[in-house]
Amino acid sequence: MTSACISTLAIFFTLSGLRAQSVTQPKDQITVAEGNPLTVKCTYSFSGSPYLFWYVQYPNQGLQFLLKYITGDSLVKGSYGFEAEFNKSQTSFHLKKPSVLGSDSAVYFCAGSDTVVG
Ligand SMILES: *[C@@H]1O[C@H](CO)[C@@H](O)[C@H](O)[C@H]1NC(C)=O
């Protein structure tokens, strides 16, 4: 059976202030059999309202934007059938896909920011 090999990285970028803030992904590598649901976890530690992003990097390719949470509906739908739910009480923004494909093998980046430019 084909599996998807999922790696994760967390980055936090800030353009202002020196507050202690971070995003965290508890596991850095997971393997999921094709057809199974995928959850890539991301929690943040943040004072104030964060902007949260998911990016994906497929093998031998550049970073691609998947989805973002700025404000409004906490369930965000993105590219390739991915979605993520912002949960303020859990301080989480887990990336989910109901049925994984082998081609979902990639590095997934959870990112947080206190500032959005533009
Ligand atoms: C946040 O997560 C908790 C625990 O999983 C859940 O009970 C709650 O309904 C979630 N809140 C939202 C807004 O999804």
Side-chain angles (χ1 to χ4, degrees):
M1 183 174 222
T2 310
S3 293
C5 190
I6 309 293
S7 299
T8 58
L9 281 173
I11 50 176
F12 184 85
F13 44 93
T14 178
L15 296 175
S16 65
L18 293 168
R19 287 169 289 168
Q21 301 163 131
S22 64
V23 288
T24 311
Q25 287 168 325
K27 280 188 176 177
D28 62 4
Q29 190 134 29
I30 49 178
T31 304
V32 183
E34 203 166 48
N36 284 354
L38 169 69
T39 300
V40 190
K41 292 191 173 174
C42 179
T43 57
Y44 64 88
S45 154
F46 201 92
S47 50
S49 296
Y51 304 103
L52 294 163
F53 307 84
W54 275 102
Y55 293 88
V56 62
Q57 185 173 28
Y58 294 106
N60 305 314
Q61 291 187 36
L63 214 54
Q64 282 183 58
F65 171 77
L66 274 180
L67 53 80
K68 66 172 184 286
Y69 173 81
I70 304 286
T71 183
D73 194 350
S74 59
L75 183 65
V76 185
K77 293 189 187 300
S79 313
Y80 311 114
F82 283 100
E83 62 182 36
E85 188 161 32
F86 173 66
N87 189 318
K88 192 162 192 171
S89 61
Q90 301 285 305
T91 65
S92 67
F93 192 55
H94 302 329
L95 184 72
K96 291 179 184 177
K97 187 170 185 177
S99 178
V100 134
L101 304 171
S103 59
D104 290 324
S105 295
V107 184
Y108 291 82
F109 292 78
C110 178
S113 171
D114 65 350
T115 315
V116 172
V117 177

